[in-house]
Structure formats: structure tokens, C-alpha cells
Amino acid sequence: MVIGSGSASFEMVRHLTEVLPVMPAPQWVLNHIQPIAVHDVLYYLLGASPRFPCSPHVSHRIGSTSSRPCPGKSPADPLPSDPNWAGRAVYTDERTAHSTAPVTDLWHVVITIGGDNGWYSTPILWAIRGWIDKLVGGVGLARGRRSSTTVHVGDAIDFWRVEAVTEGTLLRLRAEMKVPGHAWLEMRCEPHDTGSTYTQRAVFFPRGLAGRMYWWAVYPFHGLVFSGMQNRIVALAEQRAARPQQAM
């Protein structure tokens, strides 16, 4: 019997261990289990099928698609694209805004975020967060970024790490600040009939009670930080788009 993310037994144990600091249990719950990778499960299932004989080529293809590495993280770590039915507690702050600027100008503002340009909103709050992170042993905001105009997977941007880049469309950052859980900041740019659409999503997977308490403690500041960030990005993109017209 294979038990994994999404199954009732696995999700029940996950929720209990994440929320309860102490959990008395009867003796009969002590059972030995054997961890196994997803691509190995698929390999054995294919091998047991009388119709889709399994070959080393199939095994290699399964392994390469099911374990794409993330920069500096294990492939088993959670991702913001994980399905809701996996059962993990997920907190999100998603905002969308339309802009009259072309998507190219919007994308330029997005990929130049951080470093000397800052985070486009409430700089004092970002500075305080950086100081707190430094005090508890984190990297803080002083790390900056390698290039002010380009981003690549694996680049550091202050206390974030670039996890995914789709040119002109998507920038996803994984938090490397000290937080009780896993956090991402995702920014998308899409063309629109009258300009472009900007979608901003903060995703947080809390770890235990501390993670849940952390989210609700900082939640009142989200309205200032994330809404201001969204509005400033759109405004800067529209200013950038208007410059050639003014020069003419």
C-alpha cells in the first residue's frame, strides 16, 4: 500500500503533526514504513503492467520530469503550484491590476525589482523586515542583486531567490528570510486589449502553529505593502510607456 500526499491517511497525520505540539498515541500506531520516491513508484507500477513494459529509458524520463530541482532546495520541498487537495495549509494574497502600458514596459519594471530600486512600496516596512531578519540570523536586505536589469534562475535578490523566470511573463521568488514555513512572491505580466494585466501573488505554507501565528501577525501590513507594491509597479510601467510620446 502506497500512502502519500493527497491520501486520507497521510493528510490526517500531516494536519495532526503540524498543529498539535504534543500528541499522545496508542502503541498500535507505531509501524515501520519505507520511504520511496515518486518516480520509483511509477517505475514499479509500469513494470507490473502486462501492457506498457518498463525500460531504462522510461525510468529515466519519469525521474527527470518528477524531480526538477529548485535552486538550493530539495525537490521534495513544497511549491506554490501544489494542488489544493494535497491538504497543506496555504495562505495567499493575490492582487490583479490592469495597466495601459504595453506588457514589455510592465515586465521591465518587474524584473528590476529589489536591490537599489527597492520593492516599490513602504520602504520603511521592508527595511524593518530586513533588520529583523538580520537579527535572527537571516541574510537581510543587504545582499542586493547581481544585475539591475536582468534576472536568471538561482539569482539572489535581497532576501529572495529567483526560482522561476518565463521571459516577459513570470517571475517567481522564493523567500530566504527567516520565516516559520515556506514563502514565495510571484509576479505575472500578460498582454491585454488595452495594455497589460499585472497579477501579484504572495504564497505562504506555514509550519506548525508558529507559522499560522506569523501569517496573521503580519497580515495587517499586507494591505500597505502588497497593494502599494502593485500600484507602484503599474504606475512606473505607465510612466515608462509615456516617455517616448512626450519626447516626440
Side-chain angles (χ1 to χ4, degrees), residues 88-141:
R88 183 182 287 107
V90 182
Y91 296 133
T92 61
D93 184 295
E94 185 167 338
R95 301 167 189 271
T96 301
H98 297 293
S99 172
T100 58
V103 71
T104 53
D105 291 307
L106 182 61
W107 176 248
H108 175 83
V109 177
V110 166
I111 64 168
T112 55
I113 198 169
D116 293 337
N117 289 331
W119 294 86
Y120 301 136
S121 72
T122 55
I124 185 62
L125 292 181
W126 283 102
I128 291 172
R129 185 62 183 89
W131 296 333
I132 294 174
D133 190 58
K134 202 73 173 177
L135 285 174
V136 296
V139 295
L141 287 174

Side-chain angles (χ1 to χ4, degrees), residues 139-151:
V139 295
L141 287 174
R143 193 164 57 174
R145 52 181 294 163
R146 183 172 60 180
S147 169
S148 61
T149 57
T150 61
V151 291

Side-chain angles (χ1 to χ4, degrees), residues 54-245:
C54 198
S55 66
H57 174 70
V58 174
S59 175
H60 175 73
R61 187 171 72 248
I62 293 172
S64 63
T65 57
S66 62
S67 59
R68 296 189 183 98
C70 299
K73 293 291 181 178
S74 165
D77 280 348
L79 292 172
S81 56
D82 283 359
N84 293 331
W85 49 258
R88 183 182 287 107
V90 182
Y91 296 133
T92 61
D93 184 295
E94 185 167 338
R95 301 167 189 271
T96 301
H98 297 293
S99 172
T100 58
V103 71
T104 53
D105 291 307
L106 182 61
W107 176 248
H108 175 83
V109 177
V110 166
I111 64 168
T112 55
I113 198 169
D116 293 337
N117 289 331
W119 294 86
Y120 301 136
S121 72
T122 55
I124 185 62
L125 292 181
W126 283 102
I128 291 172
R129 185 62 183 89
W131 296 333
I132 294 174
D133 190 58
K134 202 73 173 177
L135 285 174
V136 296
V139 295
L141 287 174
R143 193 164 57 174
R145 52 181 294 163
R146 183 172 60 180
S147 169
S148 61
T149 57
T150 61
V151 291
H152 303 280
V153 171
D155 284 355
I157 301 181
D158 294 328
F159 47 34
W160 303 86
R161 180 76 60 177
V162 178
E163 184 178 82
V165 180
T166 302
E167 184 63 29
T169 302
L170 169 69
L171 175 63
R172 181 187 299 147
L173 307 175
R174 178 191 283 262
E176 291 191 337
M177 65 192 79
K178 294 290 186 179
V179 291
H182 300 274
W184 293 264
L185 180 60
E186 188 176 270
M187 291 160 278
R188 289 183 179 272
C189 304
E190 297 174 327
H192 190 267
D193 293 340
T194 58
S196 56
T197 300
Y198 173 68
T199 302
Q200 177 180 288
R201 188 167 71 119
V203 182
F204 183 61
F205 289 171
R207 183 172 60 247
L209 287 175
R212 289 160 172 80
M213 293 173 64
Y214 170 82
W215 173 264
W216 293 115
V218 300
Y219 187 78
F221 301 102
H222 286 181
L224 292 173
V225 174
F226 292 131
S227 64
M229 180 178 168
Q230 169 196 271
N231 295 335
R232 183 61 176 161
I233 287 175
V234 170
L236 287 173
E238 292 176 351
Q239 290 175 18
R240 178 180 172 82
R243 285 173 189 169
Q245 297 178 2

